[in-house]
């Protein structure tokens, strides 16, 4: 597949989004790493290419367009607004080395606080239309429902914060949830440490990055956690039920309404899902056959906080052809607290061409 072919397909896709009212924008390839490190912490180093500029500090090759586009939008104060873009992004692929380290993306972003459900449907429908005729299957999810469920747990704020921090790391999240729910006992080392009246009493000179005061603070936090009652079996079962959802969207909505009876914290997110399905139906999307997975979107970059979706090839072993979702909280982080409801999606033109060639 030639670069000119990919560029031509990217231009075609971008034109489709411009026809939906989007303004074409661009973003620098080399970005300041400060924002990404602030958003995602040191974990971003495992997924992005970082370098050091003697004059500009630490820099990163653009891992996606969303963050720089949000920064541009928050400076403009426009609302509503729609944007489209096309260009290369760069990702480390340590876990799946056979995947491309750089590839083109074409995106469509909608900033609209008047009708979030309608904006979700507009982006999904535009992506679906752009992929019309390809052998792909869509799947949806909603990170906001899981976030609301965690916030509704009857446990300490410290434990909720830990679960929220690892929401996008399914294995770590599960490990923490099982420990907080009493399914996994604390390690013998931790138990022995906390059994001591003063674990630092016989410690000599502290060697390492942490000071004695920091170690003492950590021990105090472990004591507080050990004294916190486990998350109830009923609440653990409700979280498991949400994570295990894998059905058509209307059936999932019905199940979530039942779960909300026992976990009222998810009620608002469930209502948002119901409104979204109505908006999707109004745009001609066959919602009765639309798949929904309770865990979908939890391995993406950590800015999605609501509706998430993807389109996967049915007959090819390749990454998702298109992905997207809602990221309201990101706009608040990048807008000094001023949030603007936003949703977007991206398509890989190289994968569109590959699928078209298989037809």
């Amino acid at each position: 597949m030639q670069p000119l072919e990919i560029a031509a397909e990217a231009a075609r896709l971008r034109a489709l989004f411009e026809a939906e009212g989007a303004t074409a924008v661009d973003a620098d390839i080399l970005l300041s790493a400060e924002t990404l490190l602030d958003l995602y912490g040191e974990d971003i180093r495992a997924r992005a290419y970082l370098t050091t500029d003697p004059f500009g500090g630490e820099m990163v090759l653009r891992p996606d367009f969303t963050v720089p586009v949000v920064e541009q939008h928050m400076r403009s104060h426009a609302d509503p607004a729609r944007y489209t873009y096309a260009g290369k992004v760069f990702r480390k692929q340590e876990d799946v080395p056979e995947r491309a380290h750089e590839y083109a993306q074409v995106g469509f972003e909608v900033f609209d606080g008047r009708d979030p459900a309608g904006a979700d449907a507009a982006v999904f429908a535009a992506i679906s239309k752009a992929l019309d005729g390809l052998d792909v299957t869509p799947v949806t999810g909603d990170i906001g429902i899981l976030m609301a469920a965690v916030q509704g747990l009857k446990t300490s704020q410290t434990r909720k914060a830990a679960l929220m921090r690892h929401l996008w790391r399914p294995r770590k999240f599960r490990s923490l949830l099982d420990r907080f729910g009493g399914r996994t006992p604390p390690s013998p080392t931790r138990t022995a440490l906390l059994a001591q009246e003063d674990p630092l009493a016989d410690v000599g000179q502290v060697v390492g990055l942490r000071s004695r005061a920091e170690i003492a603070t950590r021990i105090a936090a472990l004591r507080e956690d050990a004294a916190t009652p486990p998350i109830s079996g009923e609440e653990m079962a409700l979280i498991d039920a949400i994570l295990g959802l894998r059905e058509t969207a209307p059936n999932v909505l019905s199940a979530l309404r039942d779960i909300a009876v026992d976990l009222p914290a998810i009620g608002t997110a469930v209502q948002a899902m119901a409104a979204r399905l109505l908006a999707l139906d109004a745009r001609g999307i066959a919602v009765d056959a639309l798949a929904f997975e309770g865990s979908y979107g939890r391995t993406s970059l950590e800015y999605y906080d609501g509706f998430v979706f993807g389109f996967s090839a049915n007959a090819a072993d390749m990454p998702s052809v298109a992905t997207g979702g809602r990221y309201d909280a990101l706009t608040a982080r990048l807008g000094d607290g001023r949030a603007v409801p936003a949703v977007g999606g991206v398509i890989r033109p190289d994968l569109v061409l590959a699928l078209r060639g298989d037809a």
Side-chain angles (χ1 to χ4, degrees), residues 7 10-11 13-14 24-27 62 65 84-88 104-107 349:
L13 292 169
R14 187 170 63 180
V25 295
D26 200 0
R62 181 175 64 208
F65 278 84
T84 184
Y85 49 81
K88 281 192 173 183
Q105 275 187 350
V106 183

Side-chain angles (χ1 to χ4, degrees), residues 151-162:
Q151 293 291 6
L153 293 173
K154 296 181 180 67
T155 190
S156 68
Q157 287 300 322
T158 300
R159 285 185 169 183
K160 291 180 187 180

Side-chain angles (χ1 to χ4, degrees), residues 116-155:
D120 287 349
V123 170
F124 183 90
I127 297 285
S128 180
K129 180 180 178 181
L131 300 178
D132 189 42
L134 298 181
D135 188 21
V136 295
T137 297
V139 61
T140 63
D142 195 328
I143 297 293
I145 291 171
L146 181 57
M147 294 175 77
V150 169
Q151 293 291 6
L153 293 173
K154 296 181 180 67
T155 190

